[in-house]
Amino acid sequence: MRLPRTRPRSLAGQLFAMQVVLIAAVVAGCAVFAYVSGSAQAEETAARQVRVAALAVADSPSVREAIRTPDPSAVLQPYAERVREDTGIAFVTIMDTERVRWTHPDTSQIGDTFLGNTAKALRGQTFTETYTGTLGPSIRVVTPIRDGGRIVGLVSAGITVDRVSSQVREQLGALALAAGGALALGGIGTYVINARLRRHTHGMNAAELSRLHDYHQATLHAVREGLLMLDGRRRIALINDAGRELLGLAPDAEAVGRTVDELALPAPLTGALLASEPRVDELHLTADRVIVVNTRPVVGGERRGTVVTLRDHTELQALTGELDSERGFTQALRSQAHEAANRLHTVVSLIELGRVEEAVDFATAELELAQVLTDRVVGAVEEPVLAALLLGKAAQANERGVELVLAEDSLIDDGALPDSLAQRDLVTILGNLIDNAVDAASEAPEDAAESGAAVPAPRAAGGPAGRARVTVTALADERELLLRVADTGAGIGPEAADEVFRRGWSTHGAGRGLGLALVRQATHRNGGTVELDAGPDGGARFTVRLPLGDRTTAGSAGGARAKEVTA
């Protein structure tokens, strides 16, 4: 039969047992030490007491006078008994130099030989010894009696060991009572402390806590999402590697213990981290990333802090933009296919009517119109991603009644852009700028005013007043890549120039206002600058400059030196 496996004692239980044993050992050690010290002290006190008595008797003049009489015992025996009773010692024995007793508590012992050592006393010394005499083991002092310059007798005063032991036993009772009280108080205090420790450790033992710590550390480093824990005072209590990366903190920067305000994060993100209510899937922008923030307060009778999770939404946002572009391309192709069918029917009808030359002229004109922009883009922009993006956006703009024009000075040679410049960032920057420009150009001034746009800037003298147009400039040299997008829309007033790159700012209602924020973020990520001013046709003109040198150097220097927005 297999016995059930018993769970190891909890850490609090182990500490309680260890502390009880330790307290018991300390109390027992102290008791033994006090007993030994008390015994030694009692023996020393007894020896000092009998020494004082013996010396007092030996120095008494009446004792010397009694020794000169024919019968010293008659005078010395009552005197020795009074001294013994007054001092509380066991015996006071006065003897001659031949060790014959003149006094003794037992009168039958008077005249007998003293049991003990007297050699040192006969030489004039006072000494102490423990000796077993007629009254049992005793602590005694022997001293000489001098009369003038000679020794005429000896005095021995002593106290029995049994009497000393009884005194020690009386002290030991009080000591045992004190030790028991100390042990009880120590046990109660230890139990209270360990009960609190058991609550904090949830009854886990040392192995479980160690394993939990190892799992905790491994989880923090393995989780791809950012994890941030704030205490009740909004200070960072814990942050993992992904959290440092998403918030733009250096790996070696000291973050634990700092408040959220000290991290220099964007104001909306700081507000979300400091909020007392939960936040669910909120989208926020840092200098280089788009992150999704979720917060949950930790409440246990009182507010203990906040748990924050961060997800990187940068690539997903870029993919969403690419998907929107592909959807736009698809719609443009569907519309073009419909228009092509109409033109084909027109050509066929002209041929059926016998007007072959008119059919050829109509078809040729349509082909030339479709081919002009393609030839212009392919000839000037040899970077395939940008060329495809421009052609797709041209088709989308055409469907909305906006003409997309590539500036004459545009030129990007094949291989001019380094591999370190992410193509996805180029799509994000140029795609969002063109979409924003097409929206502005396709919107009539009166519609823009109704939608809450800024007051239109004055059009440049001689500007065209016909079809809406977006002009794109793409130029790359050895130092930088220039991307400029200008439109014929209403423009952006000076009062809104500082807010245009802020997430959520839009003239097209709620749920918009992310494109230009992503443009600034992608530009900053690549160490570039983005500027806003009035275009030659009265609309807004955005100019992005991206360095084409060392990407690392440019990125670190650009973030510090570049002014990201210039109105």
Side-chain angles (χ1 to χ4, degrees):
M1 180 178 179
R2 188 174 182 180
L3 297 176
R5 184 178 179 181
T6 59
R7 184 174 180 268
R9 187 184 295 270
S10 66
L11 177 62
Q14 294 178 11
L15 291 177
F16 176 72
M18 292 175 59
Q19 290 174 342
V20 168
V21 171
L22 180 61
I23 291 176
V26 170
V27 171
C30 292
V32 171
F33 176 77
Y35 173 74
V36 174
S37 300
S39 299
Q41 186 177 5
E43 292 178 0
E44 183 180 354
T45 302
R48 187 166 54 250
Q49 183 180 3
V50 296
R51 184 184 182 89
V52 170
L55 292 174
V57 171
D59 291 338
S60 176
S62 60
V63 172
R64 288 193 294 271
E65 292 177 0
I67 293 176
R68 299 190 192 103
T69 63
D71 185 11
S73 295
V75 178
L76 296 177
Q77 176 65 18
Y79 173 75
E81 288 301 303
R82 286 196 305 271
V83 172
R84 181 182 66 83
E85 292 175 358
D86 292 342
T87 58
I89 59 179
F91 64 89
V92 176
T93 301
I94 305 174
M95 71 197 82
D96 60 15
T97 56
E98 299 297 329
R99 300 171 59 187
V100 177
R101 300 188 187 99
W102 286 327
T103 65
H104 195 278
D106 185 2
T107 56
S108 64
Q109 300 292 330
I110 297 175
D112 291 341
T113 303
F114 174 75
L115 301 178
N117 300 311
T118 59
K120 292 182 179 180
L122 292 174
R123 291 195 298 268
Q125 300 178 11
T126 301
F127 67 93
T128 303
E129 67 175 353
T130 300
Y131 194 86
T132 303
T134 58
L135 300 179
S138 62
I139 300 172
R140 60 179 62 180
V141 173
V142 182
T143 186
I145 301 174
R146 290 181 173 86
D147 188 2
R150 64 189 183 92
I151 297 175
V152 296
L154 303 175
V155 177
S156 177
I159 186 170
T160 60
V161 174
D162 289 341
R163 182 177 294 183
V164 175
S165 299
S166 65
Q167 294 176 356
V168 173
R169 283 193 296 271
E170 291 177 1
Q171 297 176 356
L172 184 61
L175 178 64
L177 183 62
L183 182 61
L185 290 177
I188 294 174
T190 302
Y191 176 79
V192 172
I193 294 174
N194 282 271
R196 183 176 182 181
L197 178 62
R198 186 180 295 107
R199 289 196 302 270
H200 286 300
T201 58
H202 302 285
M204 291 186 289
N205 55 47
E208 292 172 336
L209 288 174
S210 177
R211 186 165 56 251
L212 182 63
H213 176 267
D214 294 339
Y215 288 156
H216 174 268
Q217 293 297 321
T219 302
L220 284 180
H221 292 287
V223 170
R224 298 297 301 274
E225 290 187 351
L227 180 61
L228 184 67
M229 295 186 182
L230 307 177
D231 61 15
R233 301 175 65 180
R234 300 300 194 276
R235 295 177 302 186
I236 298 177
L238 183 145
I239 184 171
N240 66 347
D241 299 338
R244 288 177 175 272
E245 182 180 357
L246 292 177
L247 294 180
L249 302 178
D252 56 347
E254 184 63 31
V256 176
R258 298 172 61 186
T259 61
V260 175
D261 296 334
E262 298 175 358
L263 300 182
L265 300 175
L269 178 56
T270 301
L273 298 180
L274 296 178
S276 58
E277 68 279 359
R279 299 295 181 94
V280 179
D281 291 340
E282 284 194 0
L283 197 65
H284 289 274
L285 274 70
T286 65
D288 299 323
R289 296 180 181 273
V290 180
I291 59 177
V292 178
V293 178
N294 286 273
T295 67
R296 173 72 62 180
V298 180
V299 181
E302 60 181 7
R303 183 179 180 86
R304 297 184 177 179
T306 305
V307 176
V308 182
T309 60
L310 308 170
R311 295 200 311 272
D312 192 356
H313 203 262
T314 306
E315 294 186 2
L316 181 59
Q317 189 66 42
L319 291 175
T320 302
E322 293 180 10
L323 181 60
D324 291 340
S325 297
E326 295 295 336
R327 185 181 295 112
F329 297 160
T330 303
Q331 294 175 353
L333 289 175
R334 184 181 299 113
S335 177
Q336 288 181 356
H338 181 72
E339 291 297 322
N342 291 335
R343 296 187 184 103
L344 182 60
H345 287 308
T346 303
V347 171
V348 172
S349 299
L350 289 173
I351 293 175
E352 289 178 348
L353 293 175
R355 299 184 177 184
V356 178
E357 293 183 0
E358 295 180 4
V360 172
D361 293 338
F362 179 80
T364 302
E366 290 297 322
L367 289 175
E368 289 177 352
L369 290 175
Q371 193 65 29
V372 168
L373 181 60
T374 301
D375 293 341
R376 176 77 185 103
V377 171
V378 173
V381 181
E382 297 184 11
E383 179 64 32
V385 173
L386 291 182
L389 177 66
L390 289 172
L391 292 175
K393 292 299 182 182
Q396 291 179 347
N398 185 61
E399 290 300 318
R400 300 183 60 180
V402 178
E403 179 185 8
L404 193 147
V405 178
L406 185 64
E408 292 294 333
D409 57 346
S410 298
L411 179 61
I412 300 179
D413 294 330
D414 189 16
L417 304 183
D419 295 336
S420 59
L421 186 59
Q423 295 181 346
R424 180 168 295 173
D425 288 343
L426 293 179
V427 172
T428 298
I429 295 172
L430 189 56
N432 282 288
L433 288 180
I434 293 177
D435 289 341
N436 186 73
V438 170
D439 288 340
S442 62
E443 194 175 68
E446 57 273 14
D447 295 337
E450 293 175 0
S451 64
V455 178
R459 291 187 179 274
R467 186 179 182 186
R469 184 173 68 252
V470 172
T471 303
V472 178
T473 303
L475 178 62
D477 55 21
E478 297 180 355
R479 296 181 299 103
E480 67 178 11
L481 169 65
L482 172 67
L483 299 176
R484 179 179 290 128
V485 178
D487 60 69
T488 58
I492 298 176
E495 69 279 0
D498 293 335
E499 296 292 324
V500 66
F501 290 98
R502 179 179 54 83
R503 176 183 174 269
W505 186 93
S506 176
T507 61
H508 302 283
R512 303 290 295 275
L514 185 60
L516 291 179
L518 293 176
V519 169
R520 182 177 65 172
Q521 186 185 78
T523 302
H524 178 273
R525 187 162 53 240
N526 289 275
T529 62
V530 54
E531 299 176 357
L532 167 63
D533 59 2
D537 297 327
R541 181 174 64 179
F542 292 87
T543 302
V544 175
R545 300 179 186 273
L546 301 177
L548 299 182
D550 185 358
R551 173 76 178 279
T552 303
T553 304
S556 60
R561 72 172 190 268
K563 58 177 183 179
E564 295 178 355
V565 180
T566 301

